[in-house]
Amino acid sequence: MAEKNKRKHNSRLFFVIISIILLLIIIFFFLFYFKPLETRVIEVKFSVADHPAFDLDSSKLVFGKVLPGSNAIRNIVLENKYDFPIEVKVLASKNIVQFLQADSSFVIEAFNTAKFPVNLRIPNNADFGDYSGKILFEIRKKLVSPK
C-alpha cells in the first residue's frame, strides 16, 4: 500500500513539475514574441506665437513658431530593414499629444520605406509659449492574421 501511495505521489509531482515547465515556456515565448524589435524616439518642439517662423532641423521634429488656430505638417521617414513586415506603434508625450494628429499604428512591408506625416494643430485658445515632448515608435514584427 505504501508503494502504491509513493508512486501516486511521484506521478502527481511529475505532473506538477511538467505543468510548471510548460507554463514557464509559454510565458517566456510570449514575453519574447511581443517585445519590440526596437524603439525610436524623436524629440518634438514647437512654439505658439503671434508670428510664424520655420525651423528645418532634420534631427528632430521641429515645427518652429505656429499661430493659434493654424496647423503645420512634418514628415518622418521610417525604413524597414528587416526581411519581414513590421508594425509601428506611435506614442506621444502627454504634454503634446493634444496638439498632434497622426496614425496610432501602421505597417511597413519588408525592405520598404514609409513616410509618416505628423500634423500639428494649434487651437485658437492655445497659450503662447514653447512646447516640447517626444514621439516614440515601437517597432514589432507584424503578426500574421489568420485567413
Side-chain angles (χ1 to χ4, degrees), residues 42-45 53-64 74-76:
I42 295 180
E43 194 173 339
V44 178
K45 290 185 175 188
F54 297 98
D55 187 335
L56 301 176
D57 186 346
S58 62
S59 65
K60 303 173 190 164
L61 194 60
V62 181
F63 289 94
R74 295 284 308 261
N75 291 310
I76 298 171

Side-chain angles (χ1 to χ4, degrees), residues 26-142:
I26 291 169
I27 289 171
F28 284 122
F29 172 76
F30 278 104
L31 287 175
F32 176 75
Y33 192 77
F34 291 111
K35 180 182 174 195
L37 297 168
E38 61 181 289
T39 56
R40 296 180 192 166
V41 178
I42 295 180
E43 194 173 339
V44 178
K45 290 185 175 188
F46 61 93
S47 297
V48 177
D50 59 356
H51 63 280
F54 297 98
D55 187 335
L56 301 176
D57 186 346
S58 62
S59 65
K60 303 173 190 164
L61 194 60
V62 181
F63 289 94
K65 294 182 180 181
V66 185
L67 298 168
S70 64
N71 65 344
I73 296 175
R74 295 284 308 261
N75 291 310
I76 298 171
V77 177
L78 294 172
E79 182 181 1
N80 179 1
K81 296 181 181 179
Y82 298 101
D83 62 350
F84 49 82
I86 58 172
E87 183 172 11
V88 182
K89 184 176 181 183
V90 183
L91 304 164
S93 301
K94 290 181 182 180
N95 57 324
I96 61 169
V97 71
Q98 73 225 26
F99 300 108
L100 299 178
Q101 288 185 330
D103 292 336
S104 60
S105 68
F106 58 96
V107 174
I108 305 174
E109 294 301 324
F111 302 114
N112 278 331
T113 301
K115 189 186 295 186
F116 177 71
V118 178
N119 189 2
L120 177 73
R121 290 190 177 268
I122 306 298
N124 289 325
N125 62 350
D127 293 330
F128 289 113
D130 296 328
Y131 295 83
S132 65
K134 295 179 187 226
I135 295 179
L136 172 77
F137 295 93
E138 281 187 351
I139 299 169
R140 301 173 187 270
K141 185 174 184 176
K142 183 179 181 321

